[in-house]
Amino acid sequence: MRQQYSHILTLLFRHQYFRDNLFKSIQISYSESTAKLIQDLNIILKPFVGGIHVLVSNPDLLNRSNDADPIRLYINCEDPFYINYTELSTYNPTDTVLWFNNLNLTVNSDPENKDLKLHKEGFVSENEIIKLSSNTISIDKFQTDKEYNFTDVFKNEISTEFLSQSKSFSNHFIPSNLPEGIIYLFQEKQEIEKIYYYPKTIEKNPLGIVDLYTTTLLKQYKEQGKLNYTIAFNSKETIWKYFFVNPIYQKFDKLSIIDKGKEQLFSSPQKQYVHGNTEALVFESNNKLPLSEFSKNNFQLVDNYDKELRSGKVIIKNLAKPSPEQLYSDETKPNELVYSHIYI
């Protein structure tokens, strides 16, 4: 007898950088515990380009008395430049991870869009960037006269059997048979930090982890029907700098860069030496502009531009867009200004 499956959830990964807003270079894998869980609950996980479908033979099987072990998905990106075009200012793949879950969903403000976001803001932000720990868990700014304790995702306190202080008055805590997952750190009953314990030290750290708690998933499904979860990434914004290195551009009287609305969004050109003694005309955008696979900004190089008449002789109709491979930080403000260089 052929078994019937219900399609209860689609998880989509979106990104503003791409023309179709679909983050197609995302790859999904899952933990050994999830492999066993989906077998026990008769779940099918069906990945597709930019997301994954979740199907179940009997939705009621998702209702478990112990929901501590979720469907745990690991997400990575096969594009090595994703970090260059994605707005994640404090993310560091070595010691942080993006963590998402379906316990606290964000409802889309657009009533026509029923997608539920797995993050607090409109896009993935600092809220989802979690410190990653693979062995000892350390408390920053530890105070010996304060009381500290740890809880799991459901705010159940973690016993010293699983996480104990290395020695008295130490800010180091040693895990023992502690399961993988999110840990909440409390100081004097006030939450001060979230830590993701990831004991797989030999493996490459994932870009992100999605924890889908099945009992919660079932409750949402019964209330709303088939669910659409989204994780949406925003494009990085940079200062664009055009370098006109061909000597032919030196012969023009008064060059400007304008957009399709005939507005000047770039400063007047400055002369700068590049590649030894080559002199270039350099235009810098007045404000940060978003990086995009196919930018909506259509910039033109014009000569003798008249602001009032909004006219001038078009030299280049469509200027090249920046590449995520060409990013440069301002050494005086490394965390504030990032430049995209475009050479013409």
Side-chain angles (χ1 to χ4, degrees), residues 227-238:
L227 300 160
N228 291 316
Y229 290 166
T230 62
I231 295 175
F233 294 86
N234 203 5
S235 295
K236 182 173 288 183
E237 293 188 342
T238 63

Side-chain angles (χ1 to χ4, degrees), residues 242 244 248-249 252 254-259 269 281 283 298-305 312-319 344:
Y242 281 97
F244 293 88
I248 194 173
Y249 298 109
F252 294 101
K254 189 180 179 182
L255 290 173
S256 302
I257 293 179
I258 62 173
D259 65 3
L281 290 177
F283 294 80
N298 181 22
F299 296 128
Q300 297 181 342
L301 180 69
V302 299
D303 191 32
N304 289 317
Y305 178 68
K313 181 182 178 181
V314 177
I315 308 302
I316 300 179
K317 187 175 182 180
N318 291 298
L319 287 172
I344 297 174

Side-chain angles (χ1 to χ4, degrees), residues 12-266:
L12 268 178
F13 297 92
R14 298 193 178 277
H15 203 305
Q16 290 292 97
Y17 177 80
F18 299 101
R19 180 165 55 180
D20 60 3
N21 286 337
L22 198 59
F23 203 173
K24 296 186 285 291
S25 52
I26 284 289
Q27 295 177 320
I28 300 172
S29 60
Y30 46 83
S31 64
E32 292 181 10
S33 61
T34 290
K36 184 178 185 307
L37 182 63
I38 63 176
Q39 183 177 16
D40 292 345
L41 301 184
N42 213 1
I43 296 171
I44 293 177
L45 298 181
K46 189 176 180 181
F48 60 93
V49 177
I52 190 168
H53 297 305
V54 179
L55 301 92
V56 297
S57 62
N58 180 2
D60 288 331
L61 291 176
L62 300 176
N63 188 19
R64 297 183 294 153
S65 58
N66 180 11
D67 205 19
D69 191 16
I71 298 173
R72 177 160 290 148
L73 307 177
Y74 300 123
I75 57 176
N76 278 295
C77 184
E78 62 183 9
D79 182 355
F81 294 107
Y82 79 89
I83 197 65
N84 286 11
Y85 56 74
T86 305
E87 182 52 53
L88 291 172
S89 59
T90 62
Y91 170 76
N92 184 321
T94 303
D95 53 23
T96 61
V97 70
L98 301 175
W99 180 64
F100 309 94
N101 66 84
N102 65 330
L103 297 176
N104 297 291
L105 300 174
T106 302
V107 179
N108 202 308
S109 57
D110 181 0
E112 299 297 320
N113 187 344
K114 295 184 179 181
D115 287 4
L116 300 169
K117 290 187 172 65
L118 300 189
H119 38 84
K120 290 184 179 180
E121 307 296 335
F123 298 100
V124 177
S125 67
E126 310 305 302
N127 296 311
E128 289 74 45
I129 300 176
I130 309 296
K131 185 167 75 172
L132 193 66
S133 177
S134 296
N135 39 62
T136 302
I137 295 175
S138 301
I139 299 177
D140 298 330
K141 299 179 181 178
F142 180 79
Q143 300 178 48
T144 56
D145 61 335
K146 301 291 184 180
E147 180 183 349
Y148 294 90
N149 67 298
F150 302 91
T151 74
D152 64 15
V153 69
F154 297 109
K155 302 301 171 72
N156 299 314
E157 187 162 359
I158 298 173
S159 166
T160 55
E161 175 187 351
F162 299 102
L163 194 57
S164 59
Q165 213 165 5
S166 60
K167 59 183 179 180
S168 298
F169 308 114
S170 171
N171 71 325
H172 298 299
F173 291 76
I174 308 298
S176 176
N177 296 318
L178 183 68
E180 178 187 339
I182 197 73
I183 298 172
Y184 290 90
L185 169 61
F186 288 81
Q187 180 192 73
E188 301 291 340
K189 299 184 179 180
Q190 290 289 324
E191 182 187 326
I192 60 173
E193 192 176 8
K194 291 193 289 288
I195 301 163
Y196 195 92
Y197 179 61
Y198 186 73
K200 303 171 185 178
T201 54
I202 298 177
E203 297 183 14
K204 177 185 174 183
N205 294 338
L207 161 64
I209 296 169
V210 183
D211 283 342
L212 302 177
Y213 295 92
T214 63
T215 301
T216 301
L217 177 60
L218 176 62
K219 181 175 182 292
Q220 294 165 351
Y221 172 67
K222 287 190 171 182
E223 290 175 351
Q224 303 180 46
K226 179 189 168 285
L227 300 160
N228 291 316
Y229 290 166
T230 62
I231 295 175
F233 294 86
N234 203 5
S235 295
K236 182 173 288 183
E237 293 188 342
T238 63
I239 299 292
W240 292 18
K241 290 184 76 170
Y242 281 97
F243 294 78
F244 293 88
V245 296
N246 194 316
I248 194 173
Y249 298 109
Q250 302 285 346
K251 72 176 186 178
F252 294 101
D253 297 328
K254 189 180 179 182
L255 290 173
S256 302
I257 293 179
I258 62 173
D259 65 3
K260 59 185 177 183
K262 307 295 184 183
E263 297 290 344
Q264 286 181 285
L265 301 181
F266 288 76

Side-chain angles (χ1 to χ4, degrees), residues 325-344:
E325 298 181 45
Q326 299 286 335
L327 293 189
Y328 302 88
S329 296
D330 185 335
E331 294 181 357
T332 62
K333 300 176 181 178
N335 295 323
E336 296 180 26
L337 291 181
V338 177
Y339 294 86
S340 291
H341 289 185
I342 312 109
Y343 291 89
I344 297 174

